[in-house]
Amino acid sequence: MSGEGDPFWASLYERIFGIVLIIIGAVLLYLTATSAIGGFGLLFGFLSVVLLIAGIVLLLIKPAE
């Protein structure tokens, strides 16, 4: 292994973290949409969409060679 890190493992960890963020964001969005939490619904809805977008971006980006 090189001293700068292995790009395969970094890419794998990025993909796993992206999938975890998508799952958390989807569950949060579902729970926000199906519960009556009042004024906080917009806040938690926004946060769940941000998590979903961050997870999708982590899945789509290509690591530096």
Side-chain angles (χ1 to χ4, degrees), residues 36-65:
I37 55 176
F40 289 108
L42 287 174
L43 173 67
F44 289 121
F46 174 74
L47 291 176
S48 62
V49 170
V50 168
L51 286 176
L52 281 170
I53 291 172
I56 291 170
V57 166
L58 281 175
L59 286 179
L60 295 178
I61 60 171
K62 302 287 183 202
E65 296 284 329

Side-chain angles (χ1 to χ4, degrees), residues 1-48:
M1 292 181 56
S2 65
E4 296 177 7
D6 193 7
F8 170 75
W9 292 110
S11 175
L12 182 66
Y13 291 144
E14 282 180 358
R15 305 256 184 244
I16 291 173
F17 190 64
I19 291 170
V20 168
L21 281 180
I22 289 173
I23 291 170
I24 291 172
V27 169
L28 182 62
L29 187 61
Y30 172 75
L31 292 175
T32 301
T34 58
S35 65
I37 55 176
F40 289 108
L42 287 174
L43 173 67
F44 289 121
F46 174 74
L47 291 176
S48 62

